[in-house]
Amino acid sequence: MPPKRKAPPGQATASKAGRASAMSTPGPATPRSIGSSAMSDADEDFDEDVSEAQKEREALMTKEADEFVSKFTLGSKRFQGQIDDSSREVRRYDAATPFFRKRDFSHLPLKPDHQNRPLWIDPDSCTIVLERFNPLAEQATDFLITIAEPKSRPTFLHEYALTPHSLYAAVSVGLRPRDIINTLERFLKTSLPDVVRRKIEDYTRSFGKVKLVLKHNSYFVESADAEVLQTLLKDKVIGGLRIQGSGGVTTSYAPTMGGLVIPGTQNAAGVHQANLNKAERMPGDAGDPSNEADLLTALNEEDDDDDKEAVHSFQISEDNVETVQKRCLDIGYPILEEYDFRNDDVNPNLEIDLRPNTQIRPYQEKSLSKMFGNGRAKSGIIVLPCGAGKTLVGITAACTIKKGVIVLCTSSMSVVQWRQEFLKWSNINPDDIAIFTAESKNKFSGSTGIIVTTYSMVTNSRERSHDSKKMMDFLRGREWGLMLLDEVHVVPAEMFRRVISSIKSHSKLGLTATLLREDDKISHLNFLIGPKLYEANWMELSQQGHIAKVQCAEVWCPMPTEFYDEYLRASARMKRTLYAMNPRKFQACQYLINYHEARGDKIIVFSDELYSLKQYALKLKKVFIYGGTSQAERMQVLENFQHNPEVNTLFLSKIGDTSLDLPEDLPHPDLVPLRLPPPRGPSAAFSARSAATTRASTPFYSLVSKDTQEMYYSSKRQAFLVDQGYAFKVITQLANIENTPDLAFATPQETRELLQRTLVDNERGAEDDVETDDLFGKPGRGRGGGGGARKGNGVRRTAGMLSELAGGQDMAYIEQNKAVNKALRAAGGKKKAGGGGEGQSKFFKGIQREKDKSKAQARAG
DNA sequence: TAAATAGAAA
DNA sequence: CAAGATTCTATTTA
């Protein structure tokens, strides 16, 4: 049911009001809608599509054909309504018009010089579309990244959304609402719709007004707006938390952005540029002296700006920080955290600097300039693809603040790596940087220093070892200047809450490759850590050569009929194994490995399916790492993979996605990731990201079994990659695959054997009778490791036997159930849920459940 | 080395 | 279509 278009002016809703006011500003007659303009090149095709679609629909609704036609005919009531509602201009309706319906924004008057302006806007959803081919696109991109959430960024058109979060982020990097509005106005092809203007004003009114400042070891709630502060003080929760006798509201002067422009970086939002209209920023301009020394001089410059703003603040106690934060959030004044580290005399300074020859890349500086935009350290999140030097950003931040730093990582592997990176990029004394993991619990020697640890180490709420407890007390007992949070997207919000509440830090910097996980958890991050300060565009970075170019190819492998038959009747679990073990896929894998090894590439094959991972690796005589591989062995295998010219292919389980960071400097430039069964799951995009970012360079293959579940996941992955601006290629035929030496499973006989073995192995609970762990001939691991594995499998075997029990009966059992279900359904249909009373036995309840389930399935299917 | 725990995914 | 159960993995400590 389409919403009524006619609404009495009095009852206009917000968005309708916008329309109404747009109507009152008559512009030049614009016959084109956004859509039709964009489509103008393809008018003919489009017309065809239209008639096609119409035909189709007419065919579908023969009875309603007349109605249908009249509904979509020019001058029908429907369109009349639209005209009345949106604009009094005479509008041209073409065949495409009906398809835009509510999204027809042709009533928004185009500016005369619209061709020189790069942005379109959808006032209803606050979506902004950027023409990448427009001369002003560069500036507009910088601006949009600051104020809006990137939705989709393929080659020519980028889509951004204005959201409360994004505006919050914009305000927090120092943009004023009127900057946002003016700059939008400048870039938009139409005038800024009033709805949007009002939305921006509404959202930003309360954002960025309140700051939490840790000064002289005390927390202050600070605001430039005395009224806002009064509001807070009058609040029933916050008011009572003010520390009495701290002199009420004090007024001082806040540092301004004035003296703090970091050389080689763009101003907070590219607003500056836009205003000055000095357009060209050379991508990757190396001529700019953009090293850390300049950054520091810039930061150390005193603010001799006369444009100082008065700020007012009141003190709250440490214990109430979280309460106040939460309350402020609830009443619409989210608190920004800022650390005035230059004026912190309480915490000792840390002896740390970047090594003199260290060059920061422009985008890294840009992100840091967002963080230090006003001379203080703002808490927030920086989004950079892996391989783009997230670590260096974190390290530079630490070098700027020069106070105690705590680094949190996801795994103990990356803990070690972070420390190494610190030693590599900075002159920090090795004694001042300590690791806190299960293995090592050292503190730094001096009065301050850096601690690198994992989330689980800090959040672990269970009984701790004595050393851990002491260490935790140590961590809790002091104030940290900076908390570096690595890979924030994989850590659940609850964990953050625990980390943040247990460790006091003046500023927090979250680093991540993507904020793609748009479940509710990610929005929590925004307020737990801070707003997103910067997000790099992958495509741009790879074009500028900062991160490897990724070419994505998907290889579609048909399933041999035997396999497919088995696949169709297999359990969900077995299905996974089957499509992973698809012999055609195996061949494709073999072929690609062969091809790339011949070129001297290093290849990583990812597989989330353990059985197939092992089978592939063993069959192809390659090394592999999975969850059960011991730490020492992992290191050994990795070491060999990196330096041993004999070991060029590595099979990785999903351990590679998260906890195994491949070292930055692989000797070979060409690392070819190969996805066996491509990652699964609703956030396949997430895995795709990890795959594409795990030090990926040149081609990146996904092997997909045709006509299986995998295809569905692959479509999601494609969508993600296309959004990131990557081209996507589908390969259905690998040239000369039959010439691959020792091509596996070339005969039907072998294929059948593979199938048999796969089925048998997996029915028996994947007992890997093969000596899996001995590829590197680890002494002692043979028996011990085997024992471990066997023991581990013992558990699994039990499960396997249970499923075997079920499996033993499975055919008959399922058949029987189906029969029962059918009977019940028939009976239920007639008799109304036959026998469904309280006195049901467990058996009947089970049946009932089954029935409901199958009903639900029937409904779904 | 094993057990406990926790999170992610399908 | 969602929530729960389930499986897997990784992390910790004893």
Side-chain angles (χ1 to χ4, degrees):
Chain A
M1 189 72 182
K4 269 209 172 134
R5 302 292 307 205
K6 278 191 186 175
Q11 291 172 14
T13 60
S15 74
K16 277 179 184 160
R19 251 172 233 283
S21 57
M23 143 184 100
S24 65
T25 34
T30 55
R32 285 174 162 185
S33 71
I34 291 181
S36 63
S37 165
M39 289 290 188
S40 58
D41 285 346
D43 265 346
E44 284 181 17
D45 292 354
F46 196 66
D47 282 343
E48 252 172 51
D49 283 346
V50 168
S51 54
E52 276 287 327
Q54 277 195 353
K55 264 185 230 159
E56 211 176 293
R57 296 179 81 147
E58 279 171 354
L60 276 174
M61 325 187 244
T62 34
K63 273 190 186 171
E64 295 156 347
D66 288 346
E67 199 192 334
F68 176 78
V69 170
S70 71
K71 212 157 63 177
F72 288 109
T73 306
L74 269 182
S76 72
K77 266 187 210 152
R78 189 188 169 83
F79 292 133
Q80 209 58 52
Q82 243 171 4
I83 291 171
D84 289 350
D85 192 26
S86 55
S87 136
R88 289 181 205 285
E89 322 160 10
V90 182
R91 290 167 55 187
R92 198 192 80 186
Y93 294 97
D94 50 33
T97 308
F99 294 90
F100 291 100
R101 302 204 183 172
K102 273 189 77 178
R103 287 176 57 95
D104 181 355
F105 302 115
S106 42
H107 57 277
L108 291 173
L110 277 172
K111 292 173 186 163
D113 55 347
H114 64 88
Q115 286 186 328
N116 299 326
R117 301 171 192 259
L119 299 187
W120 300 98
I121 192 162
D122 167 352
D124 293 339
S125 63
C126 279
T127 303
I128 299 170
V129 174
L130 162 74
E131 293 177 345
R132 279 293 291 173
F133 43 84
N134 191 289
L136 290 179
E138 280 298 313
Q139 294 171 43
T141 305
D142 280 335
F143 172 65
L144 282 179
I145 281 185
T146 315
I147 65 154
E149 208 68 52
K151 285 283 172 218
S152 164
R153 299 192 272 190
T155 315
F156 295 118
L157 288 177
H158 289 186
E159 202 181 316
Y160 293 83
L162 273 182
T163 65
H165 274 145
S166 70
L167 288 167
Y168 170 51
V171 170
S172 70
V173 296
L175 274 186
R176 288 165 305 183
R178 70 160 188 277
D179 295 333
I180 298 175
I181 289 169
N182 290 344
T183 313
L184 261 184
E185 188 71 73
R186 187 184 311 272
F187 282 136
L188 276 175
K189 287 175 187 287
T190 61
S191 62
L192 183 67
D194 275 356
V195 213
V196 183
R197 183 188 304 263
R198 220 166 305 129
K199 260 184 199 165
I200 293 175
E201 282 165 355
D202 282 351
Y203 287 153
T204 53
R205 185 162 299 131
S206 56
F207 283 168
K209 284 278 163 41
V210 189
K211 288 169 183 170
L212 182 70
V213 180
L214 189 44
K215 205 188 287 175
H216 301 302
N217 217 7
S218 315
Y219 283 100
F220 292 90
V221 176
E222 184 186 285
S223 177
D225 187 336
E227 265 178 53
V228 170
L229 218 58
Q230 288 303 335
T231 316
L232 292 184
L233 282 171
K234 277 177 207 146
D235 182 83
K236 60 181 193 293
V237 179
I238 299 170
L241 297 176
R242 175 165 70 87
I243 290 186
Q244 301 296 328
S246 59
V249 174
T250 48
T251 302
S252 63
Y253 292 96
T256 61
M257 295 179 75
L260 288 153
V261 175
I262 299 170
T265 63
Q266 299 194 281
N267 201 349
V271 170
H272 202 56
Q273 262 107 6
N275 290 345
L276 294 180
N277 212 8
K278 86 174 181 202
E280 292 80 24
R281 176 181 60 97
M282 292 302 169
D285 192 347
D288 244 327
S290 46
N291 57 31
E292 161 268 350
D294 291 314
L295 181 89
L296 293 179
T297 15
L299 286 176
N300 288 330
E301 269 171 32
E302 270 311 315
D303 313 311
D304 41 11
D305 251 71
D306 33 13
D307 146 43
K308 280 183 180 172
E309 242 180 316
V311 294
H312 317 278
S313 59
F314 63 87
Q315 191 182 349
I316 55 169
S317 102
E318 204 175 275
D319 308 330
N320 293 327
V321 167
E322 215 183 321
T323 326
V324 172
Q325 262 179 317
K326 189 164 185 315
R327 181 61 187 170
C328 284
L329 180 56
D330 289 346
I331 60 174
Y333 290 97
I335 282 197
L336 286 175
E337 268 186 286
E338 290 194 345
Y339 179 28
D340 192 3
F341 54 94
R342 289 181 297 168
N343 294 320
D344 180 3
D345 321 317
V346 178
N347 293 296
N349 282 346
L350 177 65
E351 193 61 42
I352 184 173
D353 259 316
L354 282 188
R355 293 196 183 278
N357 51 354
T358 309
Q359 290 278 323
I360 305 182
R361 294 171 181 164
Y363 60 87
Q364 293 172 326
E365 262 191 43
K366 212 194 269 185
S367 58
L368 284 164
S369 73
K370 301 275 157 83
M371 180 172 180
F372 296 106
N374 61 357
R376 298 171 173 191
K378 280 192 273 268
S379 295
I381 300 174
I382 290 178
V383 185
L384 285 179
C386 320
K390 269 183 300 177
T391 324
L392 185 53
V393 171
I395 293 173
T396 312
C399 293
T400 309
I401 295 178
K402 291 184 197 297
K403 299 283 179 187
V405 179
I406 181 161
V407 185
L408 291 155
C409 322
T410 46
S411 79
S412 41
M413 291 278 269
S414 43
V415 167
V416 177
Q417 262 156 17
W418 264 95
R419 183 165 182 274
Q420 280 166 352
E421 295 280 315
F422 257 104
L423 294 174
K424 178 174 161 196
W425 294 108
S426 76
N427 65 355
I428 180 112
N429 181 347
D431 291 339
D432 285 344
I433 177 164
I435 282 180
F436 175 40
T437 53
E439 298 104 59
S440 132
K441 300 181 178 67
N442 302 316
K443 295 174 194 165
F444 37 75
S445 49
S447 60
T448 187
I450 302 174
I451 292 279
V452 191
T453 182
T454 62
Y455 291 103
S456 47
M457 226 35 213
V458 176
T459 52
N460 199 345
S461 53
R462 282 183 308 131
E463 186 100 14
R464 309 301 302 263
S465 72
H466 181 67
D467 286 348
S468 296
K469 214 179 273 175
K470 263 183 30 195
M471 192 65 173
M472 279 308 294
D473 289 344
F474 173 71
L475 294 183
R476 273 187 242 262
R478 59 181 19 255
E479 267 179 22
W480 300 89
L482 174 66
M483 184 190 282
L484 278 172
L485 302 144
D486 195 21
E487 307 287 351
V488 282
H489 59 285
V490 290
V491 183
E494 202 39 51
M495 226 163 181
F496 274 116
R497 197 160 283 137
R498 275 195 265 167
V499 171
I500 287 163
S501 61
S502 69
I503 294 179
K504 285 190 287 279
S505 77
H506 292 256
S507 55
K508 305 179 199 79
L509 175 60
L511 298 171
T512 179
T514 179
L515 286 179
L516 227 122
R517 229 175 59 176
E518 273 142 354
D519 48 4
D520 42 351
K521 285 173 188 165
I522 218 77
S523 61
H524 282 280
L525 287 191
N526 272 303
F527 291 111
L528 280 174
I529 301 178
K532 182 185 75 189
L533 297 171
Y534 180 77
E535 175 166 1
N537 180 344
W538 284 25
M539 206 49 192
E540 223 170 270
L541 294 193
S542 80
Q543 273 164 4
Q544 295 163 12
H546 295 306
I547 56 172
K549 280 202 172 126
V550 184
Q551 300 165 5
C552 313
E554 198 168 287
V555 184
W556 288 6
C557 314
M559 287 268 261
T561 33
E562 306 95 302
F563 266 76
Y564 201 68
D565 282 349
E566 208 55 56
Y567 171 81
L568 286 178
R569 75 173 88 114
S571 67
R573 203 183 148 59
M574 186 61 97
K575 275 194 166 87
R576 276 215 292 141
T577 314
L578 281 174
Y579 61 63
M581 290 305 295
N582 175 3
R584 297 287 157 273
K585 185 191 271 192
F586 191 97
Q587 291 176 336
C589 178
Q590 195 180 3
Y591 169 88
L592 289 169
I593 289 178
N594 201 45
Y595 173 76
H596 281 286
E597 278 194 346
R599 288 195 348 180
D601 297 337
K602 291 275 178 184
I603 303 142
I604 298 181
V605 186
F606 294 94
S607 170
D608 290 353
E609 219 280 319
L610 272 190
Y611 176 76
S612 57
L613 177 87
K614 286 186 196 169
Q615 295 303 314
Y616 273 59
L618 291 171
K619 179 103 184 162
L620 294 170
K621 300 198 168 48
K622 305 295 181 195
V623 294
F624 64 94
I625 295 178
Y626 72 109
T629 316
S630 74
Q631 200 74 3
E633 201 176 338
R634 286 181 200 176
M635 295 304 244
Q636 199 186 358
V637 171
L638 269 185
E639 176 73 19
N640 272 284
F641 179 64
Q642 282 175 76
H643 304 300
N644 186 343
E646 298 293 308
V647 182
N648 295 312
T649 304
L650 170 68
F651 280 74
L652 268 186
S653 77
K654 77 175 177 195
I655 186 184
D657 282 355
T658 51
S659 57
L660 191 101
D661 275 333
L662 296 167
E664 292 265 329
D665 44 13
L666 279 164
H668 285 259
D670 294 319
L671 180 66
V672 181
L674 208 66
R675 272 268 167 199
L676 264 193
R680 42 184 215 273
S683 58
F686 161 65
S687 305
R689 169 200 56 78
S690 68
T693 50
T694 341
R695 298 300 306 127
S697 33
T698 24
F700 159 56
Y701 299 98
S702 292
L703 305 186
V704 179
S705 286
K706 251 169 111 176
D707 305 316
T708 67
Q709 199 59 29
E710 281 186 309
M711 298 293 277
Y712 165 73
Y713 299 132
S714 95
S715 62
K716 293 198 167 187
R717 195 174 46 251
Q718 282 183 23
F720 168 77
L721 289 165
V722 168
D723 275 357
Q724 289 295 337
Y726 290 107
F728 208 93
K729 199 163 59 174
V730 170
I731 299 173
T732 49
Q733 201 79 48
L734 293 165
N736 300 324
I737 187 169
E738 63 283 353
N739 295 346
T740 308
D742 303 322
L743 187 66
F745 311 119
T747 68
Q749 176 65 24
E750 286 170 294
T751 302
R752 271 196 298 277
E753 276 167 21
L754 174 69
L755 177 61
Q756 284 310 316
R757 196 150 46 82
T758 308
L759 290 176
V760 169
D761 285 355
N762 284 286
E763 266 166 25
R764 272 197 319 190
E767 187 178 6
D768 44 349
D769 25 63
V770 222
E771 274 306 315
T772 51
D773 298 69
D774 274 342
L775 281 161
F776 268 87
K778 253 204 93 202
R781 178 87 179 136
R783 173 73 204 112
R790 206 154 293 146
K791 196 75 187 248
N793 280 336
V795 178
R796 221 173 297 149
R797 187 155 55 220
T798 323
M801 273 156 65
L802 284 176
S803 67
E804 199 180 357
L805 283 177
Q809 343 170 327
D810 75 357
M811 288 293 65
Y813 183 71
I814 288 173
E815 285 306 318
Q816 196 185 349
N817 264 0
K818 269 185 189 155
V820 173
N821 285 342
K822 215 184 262 175
L824 271 180
R825 211 173 322 158
K830 276 182 218 151
K831 273 203 289 177
K832 176 198 169 188
E838 266 66 50
Q840 270 180 342
S841 72
K842 258 188 189 156
F843 174 77
F844 274 108
K845 273 185 188 161
I847 296 287
Q848 185 68 36
R849 250 206 314 276
E850 278 290 321
K851 183 184 147 188
D852 292 342
K853 212 194 243 171
S854 71
K855 250 192 193 167
Q857 267 168 8
R859 243 179 295 138

